[in-house]
Amino acid sequence: QKEVEQNSGPLSVPEGAIASLNCTYSDRGSQSFFWYRQYSGKSPELIMFIYSNGDKEDGRFTAQLNKASQYVSLLIRDSQPSDSATYLCAVNQAGTALIFGKGTTLSVSS
Amino acid sequence: NAGVTQTPKFRILKIGQSMTLQCTQDMNHNYMYWYRQDPGMGLKLIYYSVGAGITDKGEVPNGYNVSRSTTEDFPLRLELAAPSQTSVYFCASSDGQGNQPQHFGDGTRLSIL
């Protein structure tokens, strides 16, 4: 069974620090990788997506993919209290469905 | 820009009742999805559709039905509601296959009592 694993947290970081969120996946055929942010009581919101090995940067966010290690991460630089949320990792093989992890809760303290 | 619109936002059902959760999107996306999310859990795929007239089961389809008569609409039907179906339901759409990002509606919070 295809699985996506995330540490549930909470991950606590002080304001201004770098938050590092990690995700591993079991299916070596996975091709597309997504990070969603979900505030409490709200719907998932797309933060980043990455398809190729290496880093992809967008503002304060950097997604990192290592297909050999089956590992994808999200770095948040200069963390802000407004970044406090649950971050969902989602992985797709060559198909339609996304497999979601259970999410990591991030808490940024001011 | 409405995106993906879900109705209702909240609903309480009695055991054995049935209802339809509505989902409509205005982005002309072919792919649409229904997920459920239980507390502390990730999203589980219930059903998906790759275009009008085409639907398929996801990971947790039992107790649900869907139809896709138009590109815009993808309703989810609950027959004989059970307490195990208490959850938050999200509809999503994407422009293409699974390698494209999915855009989510605001969700429907459903309680079965």
Side-chain angles (χ1 to χ4, degrees):
Chain A
Q1 183 175 354
K2 304 180 183 109
E3 292 184 344
V4 176
E5 299 287 343
Q6 295 181 256
N7 188 324
S8 62
L11 173 65
S12 298
V13 300
E15 184 175 358
I18 296 175
S20 177
L21 302 151
N22 305 315
C23 173
T24 59
Y25 58 94
S26 62
D27 190 343
R28 279 199 174 274
S30 299
Q31 297 182 346
S32 309
F33 307 86
F34 304 86
W35 283 101
Y36 286 85
R37 178 175 64 197
Q38 188 174 26
Y39 292 113
S40 180
K42 301 295 185 181
S43 62
E45 172 192 9
L46 180 70
I47 297 295
M48 295 279 295
F49 60 91
I50 186 168
Y51 302 144
S52 304
N53 275 331
D55 294 0
K56 179 181 178 181
E57 187 175 317
D58 184 0
R60 296 187 296 113
F61 299 95
T62 299
Q64 299 176 318
L65 175 61
N66 184 326
K67 288 187 177 181
S69 300
Q70 295 176 240
Y71 177 95
V72 58
S73 65
L74 178 71
L75 301 179
I76 306 174
R77 290 182 299 280
D78 188 23
S79 295
Q80 301 296 311
S82 59
D83 294 325
S84 298
T86 297
Y87 290 80
L88 302 172
C89 174
V91 175
N92 170 262
Q93 202 195 7
T96 302
L98 286 181
I99 308 297
F100 283 84
K102 294 180 181 179
T104 297
T105 299
L106 173 66
S107 177
V108 181
S109 56
S110 57
Chain B
N1 284 346
V4 179
T5 302
Q6 291 184 239
T7 56
K9 295 191 183 304
F10 304 95
R11 184 73 184 268
I12 298 174
L13 282 182
K14 294 182 179 179
I15 295 171
Q17 287 185 322
S18 59
M19 76 163 294
T20 299
L21 281 65
Q22 302 291 344
C23 176
T24 187
Q25 53 94 7
D26 63 359
M27 297 175 282
N28 201 34
H29 287 170
N30 284 324
Y31 289 74
M32 296 188 73
Y33 314 83
W34 274 105
Y35 294 91
R36 62 175 287 173
Q37 186 177 36
D38 299 321
M41 304 295 286
L43 293 135
K44 301 290 187 183
L45 183 66
I46 304 171
Y47 271 94
Y48 66 96
S49 169
V50 301
I54 306 171
T55 63
D56 208 347
K57 296 178 180 179
E59 184 181 357
V60 290
N62 292 343
Y64 307 95
N65 279 299
V66 294
S67 59
R68 185 91 182 273
S69 58
T70 67
T71 299
E72 295 77 19
D73 300 308
F74 189 41
L76 177 71
R77 177 83 177 163
L78 277 73
E79 304 283 2
L80 298 175
S84 61
Q85 293 177 305
T86 293
S87 190
V88 180
Y89 291 84
F90 290 104
C91 179
S93 71
S94 68
D95 182 16
Q97 291 188 343
N99 62 342
Q100 297 299 313
Q102 295 183 12
H103 304 272
F104 286 81
D106 289 339
T108 294
R109 190 174 298 273
L110 181 62
S111 294
I112 315 294
L113 303 177

